[in-house]
Amino acid sequence: MPGIAMFETAELGRTVPRKVFRKNAPALRQELLELQRELREIEHVRVLLVFAGVDGAGKGETVNVLNGWMDPRWLQTNAFDEPADIERERPEFWRYWLSLPPRGRIGMFLSSWYSPPVLDRAYGRIDDAELDRRIDRIVAFENALAEDGAAIIKFWMHLSRAGQEERLRALESDPVTRGRVTERDWDHWQRYDDFVAAAERVITRTNTAKAPWSIVEGADEHYRTLAIATTVRDELRRHIDKVQVEQRLRQELEDARHAARPAKKGAGKKADRDAQPGKPPGKDAPQDIRHARAETAGVPTVLSQLHMSARLDKDAYREQLRLEQERLYVQHLETRRRGIACVLVFEGPDAAGKGGAVRRVAAGLDARNYQVHGFAAPTDEEAAQHYLWRFWRRLPRAGRVAMFDRSWYGRVLVERVEGFATEQEWRRAYAEIVDFESQLTEHGVVLVKYWIHITPQEQLVRFKAREQTPYKRWKLTDEDWRNRALWPEYELAVNDMVQYTSTASAPWSLVEGNDKRYARVTVLRTLNERLAEALDGAVDGPR
């Protein structure tokens, strides 16, 4: 007895009579509106409705119905065609990241991240191995969003080969809908079997617990509308209930921890001291640092292996700075001509000299072709998105340079150490960051990451110098002084960061920064070496 193919269950001719549809639709619509209201009141939740499937199966019509049934102020519809130049100059998922709905809203996606790989395989432009690689990227993308609280509801809308032909001919016969059928639609129909085979492979591997598929028969308008709206209602209800239970349990756990935490002797006095402006804790020889260092003594880190005595005298610095900046200018013009983008990441302790290094790099570039991005706490708009969103939206176009003074590594540094991210959040961030950076480098972006390091003693000297220099005093805050007490924790966090995110295509460059002249020349030289490697093996334009 022959087996049943995946899509045969969506070729059974299901229908819903108009009378039954009209009876059920009003109550279903009211439930969806109520769920929309609940979504806006819950933190950290967004919803993605993904519509994929056979041409003519009613994807666009269904999205139109949902826009009519629900409050359009809290809906966001995204349809993707062939990428424009501005999109081709960035990694493929750039346009999807920028289209994500903020928390509390529902985003509907037509011709999304599923369409390109399925069509490429159906037309023989890629093989199964490349298809699987692209599927892995989709799964990583959806997992990152789901772990961040997104509900991902996916619909594959199906028609049989005969049903698709019938649907396309019906659209062509109606003067109102004739323009919706193109030669491309008929080309796809001719490759129906290849299309379905690729779709089966994609659906099988992306049908995960965090982002499940619903296969919907698309021939009957009333059936598909009720089926999809009912699934959306049920999945929203389930997700909202799940999030509310999780939030209640987290709050109860936090309350229990707080109640069990013993009060520390003198903690109130220490807190008062730390809160006094202008009175940095442990300013000259911080007891907190000494105590914490004793706890981590004998634990070597990548930072403890650096030769912090490295120095350059003034004459050598001026000559090497000039040579490296001249070399950078020449190479930058060539990368601009070839359309090779460059992303520079600068991390390091407070007062490590990141800003000075950025300015020396900028001096070797054409001012029209670079942008410097500094990051602090996220804005309300940024906080309503996944933490990587604000970095995706600032990726440079082909041939341009973007310099990030602080970056996505805040998730595994300050957010980890300060407790702004849970352990689960910062631990999974390593894989999310590696995936993000691999998308950049696979696209041909030159990615250079610097950790500019200084010792606590050198930091203290620089802090005191800032206090005494009027035009630098603004850089020094009570928060900078407080962070010194967390130095050992940051050092361990940096060690983990390097261990888990320094890859062959995106290695970390650890720069000894006690001597600013040495650090600046090292930053420039490293950049020039990476650009030279990229130019030697580059193909013009983004990959």
Side-chain angles (χ1 to χ4, degrees):
M1 180 177 179
I4 297 177
M6 174 184 290
F7 293 117
E8 286 186 31
T9 57
E11 298 176 2
L12 301 178
R14 296 184 179 95
T15 62
V16 169
R18 182 184 296 270
K19 183 177 180 180
V20 174
F21 177 80
R22 289 180 172 177
K23 178 181 178 181
N24 287 279
L28 188 52
R29 178 178 182 178
Q30 182 59 40
E31 288 179 289
L32 290 172
L33 286 168
E34 179 61 24
L35 287 166
Q36 268 190 292
R37 183 193 63 77
E38 289 188 49
L39 276 174
R40 298 198 301 274
E41 297 174 356
I42 301 176
E43 294 182 357
H44 308 303
V45 175
R46 69 170 67 84
V47 179
L48 279 66
L49 304 183
V50 178
F51 297 88
V54 174
D55 293 333
K59 299 184 291 292
E61 292 93 329
T62 303
V63 168
N64 287 337
V65 169
L66 293 176
N67 268 304
W69 281 16
M70 293 191 282
D71 189 335
R73 294 174 299 173
W74 308 103
L75 289 175
Q76 179 178 309
T77 301
N78 305 280
F80 301 93
D81 206 335
E82 289 298 316
D85 287 346
I86 194 173
E87 294 170 324
R88 280 193 294 268
E89 292 179 11
R90 270 91 170 196
E92 178 188 359
F93 276 71
W94 178 78
R95 61 175 177 167
Y96 305 132
W97 275 95
L98 266 61
S99 301
L100 293 177
R103 305 187 199 283
R105 297 199 180 189
I106 298 174
M108 296 190 285
F109 293 82
L110 286 158
S111 299
S112 63
W113 41 94
Y114 284 99
S115 184
V118 170
L119 288 175
D120 284 346
R121 185 67 190 102
Y123 277 81
R125 293 189 288 261
I126 61 175
D127 59 15
D128 283 342
E130 175 61 16
L131 177 61
D132 288 344
R133 189 193 68 81
R134 292 169 73 171
I135 289 172
D136 289 341
R137 176 131 294 151
I138 289 173
V139 171
F141 173 61
E142 293 179 345
N143 280 346
L145 299 180
E147 292 283 3
D148 194 51
I152 304 173
I153 308 169
K154 302 183 299 193
F155 297 99
W156 186 272
M157 302 180 68
H158 186 70
L159 291 171
S160 66
R161 183 185 179 92
Q164 185 183 27
E165 181 182 17
E166 181 181 348
R167 172 68 170 160
L168 293 177
R169 294 199 184 282
L171 290 171
E172 279 188 329
S173 66
D174 187 337
V176 177
T177 60
R178 184 176 299 151
R180 290 165 51 186
V181 181
T182 66
E183 185 177 340
R184 182 171 176 264
D185 295 323
W186 284 113
D187 286 342
H188 291 176
W189 176 77
Q190 291 287 347
R191 295 179 177 271
Y192 181 89
D193 292 340
D194 294 328
F195 180 85
V196 167
E200 284 186 356
R201 192 180 188 97
V202 169
I203 290 174
T204 299
R205 294 197 54 202
T206 60
N207 188 34
T208 64
K210 296 175 182 176
W213 280 103
S214 294
I215 300 176
V216 179
E217 190 168 357
D220 181 72
E221 174 186 359
H222 294 145
Y223 170 77
R224 71 178 182 242
T225 299
L226 287 184
I228 288 173
T230 300
T231 300
V232 171
R233 178 201 65 189
D234 294 345
E235 288 297 314
L236 288 182
R237 179 76 275 158
R238 183 191 65 78
H239 193 74
I240 289 172
D241 290 345
K242 172 177 172 286
V243 169
Q244 288 176 333
V245 169
E246 289 173 349
Q247 290 179 343
R248 185 165 60 251
L249 289 175
R250 279 198 299 269
Q251 186 59 52
E252 291 174 356
L253 181 60
E254 181 60 29
D255 291 344
R257 286 175 176 171
H258 183 74
R261 188 179 299 128
K264 293 183 179 180
K265 184 177 179 180
K269 292 181 180 180
K270 182 181 185 300
D272 291 342
R273 181 198 69 189
D274 289 351
Q276 294 178 27
K279 290 198 70 178
K283 185 172 177 180
D284 293 319
Q287 180 65 30
D288 287 342
I289 288 182
R290 292 204 303 271
H291 176 67
R293 280 200 174 280
E295 292 181 347
T296 58
V299 181
T301 67
V302 291
L303 299 181
S304 66
Q305 308 305 305
L306 295 177
H307 301 290
M308 300 305 298
S309 59
R311 291 236 180 332
L312 270 182
D313 62 43
K314 283 187 179 181
D315 291 339
Y317 167 68
R318 289 171 182 167
E319 178 63 15
Q320 292 184 37
L321 180 69
R322 179 185 64 80
L323 291 174
E324 295 297 343
Q325 287 178 334
E326 289 176 356
R327 184 185 177 198
L328 174 59
Y329 187 74
V330 172
Q331 293 196 120
H332 169 57
L333 292 182
E334 183 62 16
T335 57
R336 180 76 173 93
R337 186 188 70 79
R338 296 199 198 181
I340 300 172
C342 187
V343 171
L344 308 182
V345 173
F346 293 87
E347 295 283 359
D350 297 324
K354 297 181 294 295
V358 168
R359 287 192 293 276
R360 272 61 184 187
V361 171
L365 302 172
D366 186 327
R368 295 168 294 184
N369 297 329
Y370 73 84
Q371 188 73 38
V372 179
H373 304 289
F375 292 93
T379 64
D380 289 343
E381 180 189 24
E382 293 167 341
Q385 296 282 359
H386 188 281
Y387 75 95
L388 285 175
W389 178 82
R390 62 174 174 164
F391 306 109
W392 269 101
R393 69 197 295 239
R394 289 173 171 84
L395 293 181
R397 298 190 67 168
R400 310 294 174 86
V401 177
M403 292 184 275
F404 291 82
D405 187 349
R406 303 293 189 188
S407 69
W408 44 93
Y409 283 99
R411 188 69 154 190
V412 296
L413 293 173
V414 63
E415 292 186 42
R416 165 184 170 171
V417 174
E418 299 286 352
F420 300 144
T422 66
E423 182 172 352
Q424 184 182 27
E425 287 172 334
W426 61 256
R427 283 194 181 279
R428 70 170 180 257
Y430 296 124
E432 293 170 352
I433 288 170
V434 169
D435 180 70
F436 169 49
E437 292 179 349
S438 68
Q439 292 185 63
L440 302 186
T441 57
E442 288 172 13
H443 191 68
V445 175
V446 178
L447 174 60
V448 189
K449 305 183 300 189
Y450 300 102
W451 177 270
I452 304 178
H453 193 57
I454 55 175
T455 61
Q457 296 77 13
E458 177 63 23
Q459 185 187 60
L460 181 59
V461 170
R462 295 184 186 184
F463 277 10
K464 289 183 175 181
R466 285 183 176 182
E467 280 187 324
Q468 298 165 12
T469 307
Y471 67 88
K472 290 186 177 181
R473 195 172 297 149
W474 65 272
K475 294 183 177 182
L476 189 61
T477 67
D478 290 342
E479 187 72 9
D480 295 326
W481 286 108
R482 190 188 67 80
N483 285 343
R484 281 177 57 76
L486 300 173
W487 190 284
E489 287 87 346
Y490 273 105
E491 188 164 328
L492 291 175
V494 172
N495 189 81
D496 289 346
M497 175 190 76
V498 173
Q499 182 175 29
Y500 297 123
T501 66
S502 193
T503 63
S505 61
W508 274 101
S509 295
L510 306 181
V511 180
E512 295 89 343
N514 273 4
D515 180 68
K516 292 181 179 180
R517 295 189 290 264
Y518 176 85
R520 292 165 182 172
V521 169
T522 300
V523 164
L524 282 162
R525 183 177 296 120
T526 301
L527 173 57
N528 279 324
E529 290 170 356
R530 294 292 302 280
L531 290 178
E533 292 172 3
L535 289 169
D536 285 344
V539 177
D540 289 2
R543 297 170 191 170

